[in-house]
């Protein structure tokens, strides 16, 4: 597009993208909650072994970390029309916690 066409182009609606992102963070925290609840249920149902309790505790701690990152991001999205970009360290923390929760959940099932 030429610079003149860019100036004439209508502005993007700033309300839709942050709303989709906010909903995605909520879905992520909901799925993390399900994993944490299933980890507790699996640990209690299968007999409380030391490895099971450790995996369950790690899964719950990771869930709390994801909740913290998501809460911080949802607040930033609600703060104004143009939210700041997600810091790379927060994005990396969310990804690492999510992958680690999946590994802990898989370890509990096996």
């Amino acid at each position: 597009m030429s610079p003149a066409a860019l100036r004439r182009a209508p502005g993007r609606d700033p309300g839709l993208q942050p709303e989709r992102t906010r909903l995605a963070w909520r879905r992520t925290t909901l799925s993390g909650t399900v994993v944490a609840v299933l980890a507790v249920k699996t640990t209690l149902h299968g007999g409380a072994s030391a490895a099971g309790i450790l995996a369950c505790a790690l899964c719950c701690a990771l869930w709390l970390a994801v909740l913290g990152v998501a809460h911080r991001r949802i607040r930033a999205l609600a703060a104004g029309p143009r939210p700041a970009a997600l810091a790379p360290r927060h994005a990396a923390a969310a990804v690492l916690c999510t992958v680690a929760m999946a590994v802990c959940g898989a370890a509990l099932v096996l």
Side-chain angles (χ1 to χ4, degrees), residues 26-100:
R26 289 179 195 259
R27 283 191 305 271
T28 301
T29 57
L30 178 62
S31 63
T33 303
V34 169
V35 169
V37 167
L38 289 176
V40 170
K41 180 183 179 280
T42 301
T43 300
L44 295 178
H45 185 320
S49 67
I53 291 173
L54 180 64
C56 180
L58 182 60
C59 192
C60 290
L62 292 166
W63 171 67
L64 289 173
V66 169
L67 279 177
V69 172
H71 179 69
R72 187 176 297 121
R73 187 61 187 158
I74 288 171
R75 271 196 343 224
L77 290 169
R82 198 89 127 135
L86 181 64
R89 130 185 109 134
H90 292 142
V95 169
L96 289 174
C97 287
T98 303
V99 170

Short mmCIF file of all heavy atoms in Angstrom, two decimals, residues 26-100:
data_model
loop_
_atom_site.label_atom_id
_atom_site.label_comp_id
_atom_site.label_asym_id
_atom_site.label_seq_id
_atom_site.Cartn_x
_atom_site.Cartn_y
_atom_site.Cartn_z
N ARG A 26 -8.23 -16.20 29.48
CA ARG A 26 -9.20 -16.85 30.38
C ARG A 26 -9.35 -18.33 30.05
O ARG A 26 -9.46 -19.16 30.95
CB ARG A 26 -10.54 -16.14 30.32
CG ARG A 26 -10.47 -14.78 30.98
CD ARG A 26 -11.79 -14.06 30.90
NE ARG A 26 -11.61 -12.66 31.20
CZ ARG A 26 -11.90 -12.12 32.37
NH1 ARG A 26 -12.39 -12.84 33.33
NH2 ARG A 26 -11.71 -10.84 32.56
N ARG A 27 -9.36 -18.67 28.76
CA ARG A 27 -9.42 -20.09 28.39
C ARG A 27 -8.17 -20.83 28.85
O ARG A 27 -8.25 -21.98 29.31
CB ARG A 27 -9.56 -20.24 26.87
CG ARG A 27 -10.94 -19.96 26.35
CD ARG A 27 -11.07 -20.37 24.89
NE ARG A 27 -10.08 -19.74 24.03
CZ ARG A 27 -10.24 -18.58 23.42
NH1 ARG A 27 -11.34 -17.88 23.60
NH2 ARG A 27 -9.29 -18.12 22.63
N THR A 28 -7.03 -20.18 28.76
CA THR A 28 -5.79 -20.81 29.20
C THR A 28 -5.81 -21.07 30.70
O THR A 28 -5.41 -22.15 31.15
CB THR A 28 -4.58 -19.92 28.82
OG1 THR A 28 -4.58 -19.73 27.41
CG2 THR A 28 -3.28 -20.56 29.25
N THR A 29 -6.27 -20.10 31.46
CA THR A 29 -6.33 -20.31 32.91
C THR A 29 -7.37 -21.37 33.26
O THR A 29 -7.17 -22.14 34.21
CB THR A 29 -6.63 -19.00 33.66
OG1 THR A 29 -7.85 -18.45 33.19
CG2 THR A 29 -5.50 -18.01 33.50
N LEU A 30 -8.46 -21.43 32.52
CA LEU A 30 -9.46 -22.46 32.77
C LEU A 30 -8.89 -23.85 32.50
O LEU A 30 -9.09 -24.78 33.30
CB LEU A 30 -10.71 -22.22 31.92
CG LEU A 30 -11.81 -23.26 32.06
CD1 LEU A 30 -12.33 -23.29 33.49
CD2 LEU A 30 -12.94 -22.97 31.09
N SER A 31 -8.16 -24.01 31.40
CA SER A 31 -7.58 -25.32 31.12
C SER A 31 -6.51 -25.67 32.16
O SER A 31 -6.38 -26.84 32.55
CB SER A 31 -7.00 -25.37 29.71
OG SER A 31 -5.95 -24.46 29.56
N GLY A 32 -5.76 -24.69 32.63
CA GLY A 32 -4.79 -24.93 33.70
C GLY A 32 -5.48 -25.35 34.99
O GLY A 32 -4.98 -26.20 35.73
N THR A 33 -6.63 -24.77 35.26
CA THR A 33 -7.41 -25.14 36.45
C THR A 33 -7.87 -26.59 36.36
O THR A 33 -7.80 -27.33 37.34
CB THR A 33 -8.62 -24.20 36.61
OG1 THR A 33 -8.15 -22.86 36.68
CG2 THR A 33 -9.43 -24.53 37.84
N VAL A 34 -8.31 -26.98 35.17
CA VAL A 34 -8.74 -28.37 34.98
C VAL A 34 -7.57 -29.32 35.20
O VAL A 34 -7.71 -30.36 35.87
CB VAL A 34 -9.36 -28.55 33.57
CG1 VAL A 34 -9.56 -30.01 33.24
CG2 VAL A 34 -10.66 -27.78 33.47
N VAL A 35 -6.40 -28.98 34.68
CA VAL A 35 -5.22 -29.83 34.87
C VAL A 35 -4.88 -29.93 36.36
O VAL A 35 -4.58 -31.02 36.87
CB VAL A 35 -4.02 -29.30 34.05
CG1 VAL A 35 -2.74 -30.00 34.44
CG2 VAL A 35 -4.28 -29.46 32.57
N ALA A 36 -4.90 -28.81 37.07
CA ALA A 36 -4.56 -28.82 38.49
C ALA A 36 -5.57 -29.65 39.29
O ALA A 36 -5.19 -30.44 40.17
CB ALA A 36 -4.50 -27.39 39.04
N VAL A 37 -6.85 -29.51 39.00
CA VAL A 37 -7.88 -30.28 39.70
C VAL A 37 -7.73 -31.77 39.40
O VAL A 37 -7.82 -32.61 40.30
CB VAL A 37 -9.29 -29.77 39.33
CG1 VAL A 37 -10.37 -30.73 39.79
CG2 VAL A 37 -9.51 -28.39 39.93
N LEU A 38 -7.48 -32.11 38.14
CA LEU A 38 -7.28 -33.52 37.80
C LEU A 38 -6.01 -34.07 38.44
O LEU A 38 -5.96 -35.25 38.80
CB LEU A 38 -7.25 -33.69 36.28
CG LEU A 38 -8.59 -33.51 35.58
CD1 LEU A 38 -8.43 -33.61 34.08
CD2 LEU A 38 -9.61 -34.51 36.09
N ALA A 39 -4.99 -33.25 38.57
CA ALA A 39 -3.76 -33.70 39.24
C ALA A 39 -4.04 -34.03 40.70
O ALA A 39 -3.58 -35.06 41.22
CB ALA A 39 -2.67 -32.64 39.12
N VAL A 40 -4.79 -33.17 41.36
CA VAL A 40 -5.15 -33.43 42.77
C VAL A 40 -6.00 -34.69 42.87
O VAL A 40 -5.76 -35.55 43.72
CB VAL A 40 -5.87 -32.21 43.38
CG1 VAL A 40 -6.45 -32.54 44.73
CG2 VAL A 40 -4.93 -31.02 43.48
N LYS A 41 -6.97 -34.81 41.99
CA LYS A 41 -7.86 -35.99 42.00
C LYS A 41 -7.07 -37.27 41.76
O LYS A 41 -7.25 -38.27 42.46
CB LYS A 41 -8.95 -35.84 40.95
CG LYS A 41 -9.91 -37.01 40.90
CD LYS A 41 -10.91 -36.82 39.78
CE LYS A 41 -11.86 -37.97 39.68
NZ LYS A 41 -11.33 -39.13 39.01
N THR A 42 -6.17 -37.24 40.78
CA THR A 42 -5.37 -38.43 40.47
C THR A 42 -4.46 -38.79 41.62
O THR A 42 -4.29 -39.97 41.96
CB THR A 42 -4.54 -38.18 39.19
OG1 THR A 42 -5.43 -37.87 38.12
CG2 THR A 42 -3.72 -39.39 38.82
N THR A 43 -3.86 -37.80 42.24
CA THR A 43 -2.96 -38.06 43.37
C THR A 43 -3.72 -38.66 44.54
O THR A 43 -3.26 -39.62 45.16
CB THR A 43 -2.26 -36.75 43.80
OG1 THR A 43 -1.51 -36.26 42.70
CG2 THR A 43 -1.33 -36.99 44.96
N LEU A 44 -4.88 -38.13 44.86
CA LEU A 44 -5.66 -38.63 45.99
C LEU A 44 -6.30 -39.97 45.69
O LEU A 44 -6.41 -40.82 46.58
CB LEU A 44 -6.71 -37.61 46.38
CG LEU A 44 -6.19 -36.28 46.92
CD1 LEU A 44 -7.35 -35.34 47.22
CD2 LEU A 44 -5.32 -36.48 48.14
N HIS A 45 -6.73 -40.18 44.45
CA HIS A 45 -7.42 -41.42 44.10
C HIS A 45 -6.47 -42.60 44.01
O HIS A 45 -6.78 -43.69 44.45
CB HIS A 45 -8.14 -41.24 42.77
CG HIS A 45 -8.98 -42.41 42.36
ND1 HIS A 45 -8.61 -43.72 42.53
CD2 HIS A 45 -10.19 -42.46 41.77
CE1 HIS A 45 -9.54 -44.52 42.06
NE2 HIS A 45 -10.51 -43.78 41.60
N GLY A 46 -5.30 -42.39 43.46
CA GLY A 46 -4.37 -43.49 43.24
C GLY A 46 -3.50 -43.82 44.44
O GLY A 46 -2.57 -44.60 44.33
N GLY A 47 -3.76 -43.25 45.57
CA GLY A 47 -2.89 -43.46 46.72
C GLY A 47 -1.80 -42.40 46.71
O GLY A 47 -1.21 -42.12 45.68
N ALA A 48 -1.57 -41.81 47.82
CA ALA A 48 -0.64 -40.68 47.90
C ALA A 48 0.79 -41.17 48.00
O ALA A 48 1.30 -41.46 49.07
CB ALA A 48 -0.99 -39.80 49.09
N SER A 49 1.46 -41.28 46.84
CA SER A 49 2.88 -41.61 46.83
C SER A 49 3.68 -40.32 46.86
O SER A 49 3.16 -39.24 46.56
CB SER A 49 3.23 -42.42 45.58
OG SER A 49 3.09 -41.62 44.43
N ALA A 50 4.93 -40.41 47.21
CA ALA A 50 5.79 -39.21 47.28
C ALA A 50 5.93 -38.56 45.91
O ALA A 50 5.87 -37.33 45.77
CB ALA A 50 7.15 -39.57 47.85
N ALA A 51 6.10 -39.37 44.86
CA ALA A 51 6.25 -38.83 43.51
C ALA A 51 4.94 -38.17 43.04
O ALA A 51 4.96 -37.12 42.40
CB ALA A 51 6.65 -39.94 42.54
N GLY A 52 3.82 -38.79 43.38
CA GLY A 52 2.52 -38.22 43.00
C GLY A 52 2.27 -36.90 43.69
O GLY A 52 1.77 -35.95 43.08
N ILE A 53 2.60 -36.83 44.98
CA ILE A 53 2.40 -35.58 45.72
C ILE A 53 3.32 -34.49 45.19
O ILE A 53 2.90 -33.33 45.03
CB ILE A 53 2.63 -35.82 47.23
CG1 ILE A 53 1.50 -36.69 47.78
CG2 ILE A 53 2.72 -34.50 47.98
CD1 ILE A 53 1.71 -37.14 49.21
N LEU A 54 4.55 -34.86 44.84
CA LEU A 54 5.48 -33.88 44.28
C LEU A 54 4.99 -33.36 42.93
O LEU A 54 5.01 -32.15 42.67
CB LEU A 54 6.88 -34.50 44.14
CG LEU A 54 7.95 -33.58 43.56
CD1 LEU A 54 8.19 -32.40 44.50
CD2 LEU A 54 9.22 -34.35 43.33
N ALA A 55 4.53 -34.27 42.05
CA ALA A 55 4.03 -33.85 40.74
C ALA A 55 2.78 -32.99 40.90
O ALA A 55 2.61 -31.99 40.19
CB ALA A 55 3.73 -35.08 39.88
N CYS A 56 1.92 -33.35 41.83
CA CYS A 56 0.71 -32.57 42.08
C CYS A 56 1.05 -31.17 42.61
O CYS A 56 0.49 -30.17 42.15
CB CYS A 56 -0.19 -33.31 43.06
SG CYS A 56 -1.71 -32.44 43.45
N ALA A 57 1.98 -31.11 43.55
CA ALA A 57 2.37 -29.80 44.10
C ALA A 57 3.03 -28.93 43.04
O ALA A 57 2.76 -27.73 42.95
CB ALA A 57 3.33 -30.01 45.28
N LEU A 58 3.86 -29.54 42.20
CA LEU A 58 4.50 -28.80 41.12
C LEU A 58 3.46 -28.30 40.12
O LEU A 58 3.50 -27.15 39.67
CB LEU A 58 5.54 -29.67 40.42
CG LEU A 58 6.32 -29.01 39.29
CD1 LEU A 58 7.10 -27.80 39.81
CD2 LEU A 58 7.26 -30.00 38.65
N CYS A 59 2.49 -29.13 39.81
CA CYS A 59 1.42 -28.75 38.88
C CYS A 59 0.61 -27.59 39.45
O CYS A 59 0.30 -26.63 38.73
CB CYS A 59 0.53 -29.96 38.62
SG CYS A 59 -0.61 -29.73 37.26
N CYS A 60 0.30 -27.64 40.73
CA CYS A 60 -0.46 -26.54 41.35
C CYS A 60 0.36 -25.25 41.41
O CYS A 60 -0.18 -24.16 41.19
CB CYS A 60 -0.92 -26.95 42.75
SG CYS A 60 -2.21 -28.22 42.71
N ALA A 61 1.66 -25.36 41.67
CA ALA A 61 2.51 -24.16 41.69
C ALA A 61 2.61 -23.55 40.29
O ALA A 61 2.57 -22.32 40.14
CB ALA A 61 3.90 -24.52 42.22
N LEU A 62 2.74 -24.39 39.29
CA LEU A 62 2.78 -23.89 37.91
C LEU A 62 1.45 -23.24 37.53
O LEU A 62 1.42 -22.23 36.82
CB LEU A 62 3.12 -25.03 36.95
CG LEU A 62 4.53 -25.59 37.07
CD1 LEU A 62 4.64 -26.90 36.32
CD2 LEU A 62 5.55 -24.58 36.58
N TRP A 63 0.36 -23.81 37.99
CA TRP A 63 -0.95 -23.23 37.72
C TRP A 63 -1.04 -21.83 38.33
O TRP A 63 -1.54 -20.91 37.69
CB TRP A 63 -2.03 -24.15 38.28
CG TRP A 63 -3.40 -23.58 38.26
CD1 TRP A 63 -4.16 -23.29 37.17
CD2 TRP A 63 -4.19 -23.23 39.40
NE1 TRP A 63 -5.38 -22.78 37.57
CE2 TRP A 63 -5.42 -22.73 38.93
CE3 TRP A 63 -3.98 -23.29 40.77
CZ2 TRP A 63 -6.42 -22.30 39.78
CZ3 TRP A 63 -4.98 -22.88 41.60
CH2 TRP A 63 -6.18 -22.39 41.11
N LEU A 64 -0.55 -21.68 39.55
CA LEU A 64 -0.55 -20.35 40.19
C LEU A 64 0.31 -19.36 39.42
O LEU A 64 -0.04 -18.18 39.30
CB LEU A 64 -0.08 -20.45 41.64
CG LEU A 64 -1.06 -21.12 42.60
CD1 LEU A 64 -0.41 -21.31 43.96
CD2 LEU A 64 -2.34 -20.32 42.71
N ALA A 65 1.42 -19.83 38.87
CA ALA A 65 2.27 -18.94 38.07
C ALA A 65 1.55 -18.49 36.79
O ALA A 65 1.61 -17.31 36.42
CB ALA A 65 3.58 -19.64 37.73
N VAL A 66 0.87 -19.41 36.13
CA VAL A 66 0.10 -19.05 34.92
C VAL A 66 -1.01 -18.07 35.28
O VAL A 66 -1.26 -17.11 34.56
CB VAL A 66 -0.46 -20.31 34.23
CG1 VAL A 66 -1.47 -19.94 33.15
CG2 VAL A 66 0.66 -21.13 33.62
N LEU A 67 -1.67 -18.31 36.41
CA LEU A 67 -2.72 -17.38 36.86
C LEU A 67 -2.15 -15.98 37.08
O LEU A 67 -2.78 -14.98 36.71
CB LEU A 67 -3.36 -17.87 38.16
CG LEU A 67 -4.43 -18.93 38.04
CD1 LEU A 67 -4.90 -19.33 39.43
CD2 LEU A 67 -5.58 -18.46 37.21
N GLY A 68 -0.96 -15.89 37.66
CA GLY A 68 -0.34 -14.59 37.90
C GLY A 68 -0.02 -13.86 36.61
O GLY A 68 -0.31 -12.67 36.47
N VAL A 69 0.57 -14.57 35.66
CA VAL A 69 0.90 -13.94 34.36
C VAL A 69 -0.38 -13.53 33.64
O VAL A 69 -0.47 -12.42 33.10
CB VAL A 69 1.74 -14.90 33.49
CG1 VAL A 69 1.91 -14.36 32.09
CG2 VAL A 69 3.10 -15.15 34.12
N ALA A 70 -1.38 -14.40 33.65
CA ALA A 70 -2.64 -14.09 32.96
C ALA A 70 -3.35 -12.90 33.61
O ALA A 70 -3.86 -12.03 32.91
CB ALA A 70 -3.55 -15.31 32.97
N HIS A 71 -3.35 -12.86 34.93
CA HIS A 71 -4.01 -11.75 35.62
C HIS A 71 -3.32 -10.42 35.28
O HIS A 71 -3.99 -9.42 35.01
CB HIS A 71 -3.99 -11.99 37.13
CG HIS A 71 -4.62 -10.88 37.91
ND1 HIS A 71 -5.98 -10.64 37.87
CD2 HIS A 71 -4.09 -9.94 38.72
CE1 HIS A 71 -6.25 -9.60 38.64
NE2 HIS A 71 -5.12 -9.16 39.17
N ARG A 72 -2.01 -10.44 35.27
CA ARG A 72 -1.25 -9.23 34.93
C ARG A 72 -1.56 -8.79 33.50
O ARG A 72 -1.75 -7.61 33.22
CB ARG A 72 0.25 -9.50 35.10
CG ARG A 72 1.11 -8.29 34.94
CD ARG A 72 2.57 -8.59 35.22
NE ARG A 72 2.77 -9.02 36.60
CZ ARG A 72 3.28 -10.20 36.97
NH1 ARG A 72 3.67 -11.06 36.07
NH2 ARG A 72 3.43 -10.49 38.24
N ARG A 73 -1.66 -9.75 32.57
CA ARG A 73 -1.91 -9.40 31.18
C ARG A 73 -3.35 -8.92 30.98
O ARG A 73 -3.60 -7.97 30.24
CB ARG A 73 -1.64 -10.61 30.29
CG ARG A 73 -1.72 -10.30 28.83
CD ARG A 73 -0.70 -9.26 28.44
NE ARG A 73 -0.89 -8.85 27.07
CZ ARG A 73 -0.47 -7.72 26.57
NH1 ARG A 73 0.20 -6.88 27.31
NH2 ARG A 73 -0.70 -7.42 25.32
N ILE A 74 -4.30 -9.56 31.64
CA ILE A 74 -5.70 -9.13 31.52
C ILE A 74 -5.88 -7.71 32.06
O ILE A 74 -6.59 -6.90 31.48
CB ILE A 74 -6.64 -10.14 32.23
CG1 ILE A 74 -6.71 -11.43 31.41
CG2 ILE A 74 -8.03 -9.57 32.42
CD1 ILE A 74 -7.41 -12.57 32.11
N ARG A 75 -5.21 -7.41 33.18
CA ARG A 75 -5.26 -6.03 33.71
C ARG A 75 -4.65 -5.03 32.74
O ARG A 75 -5.17 -3.93 32.56
CB ARG A 75 -4.52 -5.96 35.05
CG ARG A 75 -5.37 -6.25 36.21
CD ARG A 75 -4.74 -5.82 37.52
NE ARG A 75 -3.32 -5.57 37.44
CZ ARG A 75 -2.42 -5.96 38.31
NH1 ARG A 75 -2.80 -6.66 39.35
NH2 ARG A 75 -1.16 -5.67 38.17
N ALA A 76 -3.55 -5.41 32.10
CA ALA A 76 -2.92 -4.51 31.12
C ALA A 76 -3.82 -4.29 29.92
O ALA A 76 -3.89 -3.17 29.38
CB ALA A 76 -1.57 -5.08 30.68
N LEU A 77 -4.53 -5.31 29.49
CA LEU A 77 -5.43 -5.17 28.35
C LEU A 77 -6.62 -4.28 28.69
O LEU A 77 -7.13 -3.57 27.83
CB LEU A 77 -5.93 -6.54 27.89
CG LEU A 77 -4.89 -7.43 27.22
CD1 LEU A 77 -5.44 -8.83 27.06
CD2 LEU A 77 -4.47 -6.85 25.88
N ALA A 78 -7.05 -4.32 29.93
CA ALA A 78 -8.20 -3.51 30.34
C ALA A 78 -7.81 -2.08 30.66
O ALA A 78 -8.69 -1.22 30.77
CB ALA A 78 -8.87 -4.15 31.55
N ALA A 79 -6.52 -1.80 30.80
CA ALA A 79 -6.06 -0.48 31.25
C ALA A 79 -6.28 0.62 30.22
O ALA A 79 -6.50 1.77 30.59
CB ALA A 79 -4.59 -0.54 31.63
N GLY A 80 -6.21 0.30 28.97
CA GLY A 80 -6.35 1.37 27.99
C GLY A 80 -6.60 0.84 26.60
O GLY A 80 -6.62 -0.36 26.37
N PRO A 81 -6.78 1.76 25.67
CA PRO A 81 -7.10 1.35 24.31
C PRO A 81 -5.92 0.71 23.58
O PRO A 81 -6.12 -0.09 22.69
CB PRO A 81 -7.51 2.65 23.62
CG PRO A 81 -6.83 3.71 24.40
CD PRO A 81 -6.75 3.21 25.81
N ARG A 82 -4.72 1.03 23.96
CA ARG A 82 -3.53 0.50 23.30
C ARG A 82 -2.62 -0.15 24.35
O ARG A 82 -1.74 0.50 24.89
CB ARG A 82 -2.79 1.65 22.62
CG ARG A 82 -1.81 1.23 21.58
CD ARG A 82 -2.47 1.13 20.34
NE ARG A 82 -2.20 1.69 19.11
CZ ARG A 82 -2.26 0.92 18.05
NH1 ARG A 82 -2.41 -0.37 18.16
NH2 ARG A 82 -2.18 1.44 16.87
N PRO A 83 -2.87 -1.44 24.66
CA PRO A 83 -2.07 -2.07 25.70
C PRO A 83 -0.62 -2.26 25.25
O PRO A 83 -0.34 -2.39 24.07
CB PRO A 83 -2.75 -3.43 25.90
CG PRO A 83 -3.43 -3.70 24.63
CD PRO A 83 -3.84 -2.35 24.08
N ALA A 84 0.26 -2.26 26.22
CA ALA A 84 1.67 -2.51 25.93
C ALA A 84 1.86 -3.97 25.52
O ALA A 84 1.06 -4.83 25.89
CB ALA A 84 2.50 -2.20 27.17
N ALA A 85 2.91 -4.22 24.78
CA ALA A 85 3.19 -5.58 24.35
C ALA A 85 3.55 -6.44 25.56
O ALA A 85 4.09 -5.94 26.54
CB ALA A 85 4.34 -5.58 23.34
N LEU A 86 3.25 -7.71 25.45
CA LEU A 86 3.60 -8.65 26.51
C LEU A 86 5.12 -8.78 26.57
O LEU A 86 5.77 -8.99 25.55
CB LEU A 86 2.97 -10.02 26.23
CG LEU A 86 3.21 -11.12 27.26
CD1 LEU A 86 2.58 -10.74 28.59
CD2 LEU A 86 2.62 -12.42 26.76
N ALA A 87 5.66 -8.62 27.75
CA ALA A 87 7.12 -8.71 27.92
C ALA A 87 7.59 -10.12 27.57
O ALA A 87 6.93 -11.10 27.91
CB ALA A 87 7.49 -8.37 29.36
N PRO A 88 8.73 -10.23 26.89
CA PRO A 88 9.22 -11.57 26.52
C PRO A 88 9.42 -12.48 27.72
O PRO A 88 9.17 -13.69 27.63
CB PRO A 88 10.56 -11.28 25.83
CG PRO A 88 10.44 -9.88 25.33
CD PRO A 88 9.55 -9.17 26.33
N ARG A 89 9.81 -11.93 28.84
CA ARG A 89 10.02 -12.77 30.02
C ARG A 89 8.69 -13.33 30.53
O ARG A 89 8.61 -14.47 30.96
CB ARG A 89 10.79 -11.96 31.04
CG ARG A 89 10.30 -11.90 32.40
CD ARG A 89 11.13 -10.96 33.23
NE ARG A 89 10.30 -9.80 33.49
CZ ARG A 89 10.18 -9.25 34.66
NH1 ARG A 89 10.90 -9.67 35.66
NH2 ARG A 89 9.38 -8.25 34.85
N HIS A 90 7.61 -12.54 30.45
CA HIS A 90 6.30 -13.03 30.87
C HIS A 90 5.77 -14.07 29.88
O HIS A 90 5.15 -15.06 30.29
CB HIS A 90 5.30 -11.88 31.00
CG HIS A 90 5.62 -10.97 32.14
ND1 HIS A 90 5.45 -9.62 32.06
CD2 HIS A 90 6.10 -11.21 33.38
CE1 HIS A 90 5.82 -9.07 33.19
NE2 HIS A 90 6.22 -10.02 34.02
N ALA A 91 6.00 -13.83 28.60
CA ALA A 91 5.57 -14.80 27.59
C ALA A 91 6.32 -16.12 27.77
O ALA A 91 5.71 -17.20 27.71
CB ALA A 91 5.80 -14.25 26.19
N ALA A 92 7.61 -16.04 28.01
CA ALA A 92 8.40 -17.25 28.22
C ALA A 92 7.94 -17.98 29.48
O ALA A 92 7.85 -19.22 29.50
CB ALA A 92 9.88 -16.91 28.32
N ALA A 93 7.63 -17.24 30.53
CA ALA A 93 7.16 -17.86 31.77
C ALA A 93 5.84 -18.58 31.54
O ALA A 93 5.65 -19.71 32.02
CB ALA A 93 7.00 -16.81 32.87
N ALA A 94 4.93 -17.96 30.80
CA ALA A 94 3.64 -18.60 30.53
C ALA A 94 3.82 -19.87 29.70
O ALA A 94 3.19 -20.91 29.99
CB ALA A 94 2.71 -17.62 29.81
N VAL A 95 4.67 -19.81 28.70
CA VAL A 95 4.90 -20.99 27.86
C VAL A 95 5.55 -22.11 28.66
O VAL A 95 5.12 -23.27 28.59
CB VAL A 95 5.75 -20.61 26.63
CG1 VAL A 95 6.23 -21.84 25.89
CG2 VAL A 95 4.96 -19.72 25.69
N LEU A 96 6.58 -21.77 29.41
CA LEU A 96 7.28 -22.80 30.20
C LEU A 96 6.36 -23.43 31.25
O LEU A 96 6.38 -24.65 31.45
CB LEU A 96 8.51 -22.21 30.86
CG LEU A 96 9.66 -21.88 29.90
CD1 LEU A 96 10.79 -21.17 30.64
CD2 LEU A 96 10.18 -23.13 29.23
N CYS A 97 5.55 -22.61 31.90
CA CYS A 97 4.62 -23.15 32.90
C CYS A 97 3.58 -24.05 32.25
O CYS A 97 3.23 -25.10 32.80
CB CYS A 97 3.94 -22.02 33.66
SG CYS A 97 5.03 -21.19 34.82
N THR A 98 3.08 -23.66 31.09
CA THR A 98 2.08 -24.47 30.41
C THR A 98 2.65 -25.81 29.97
O THR A 98 2.03 -26.86 30.16
CB THR A 98 1.52 -23.70 29.20
OG1 THR A 98 0.99 -22.46 29.65
CG2 THR A 98 0.44 -24.48 28.49
N VAL A 99 3.85 -25.79 29.41
CA VAL A 99 4.48 -27.04 28.98
C VAL A 99 4.80 -27.91 30.19
O VAL A 99 4.57 -29.14 30.17
CB VAL A 99 5.76 -26.73 28.15
CG1 VAL A 99 6.57 -27.99 27.91
CG2 VAL A 99 5.36 -26.09 26.83
N ALA A 100 5.30 -27.31 31.25
CA ALA A 100 5.62 -28.08 32.45
C ALA A 100 4.36 -28.67 33.09
O ALA A 100 4.39 -29.80 33.60
CB ALA A 100 6.36 -27.20 33.46
#
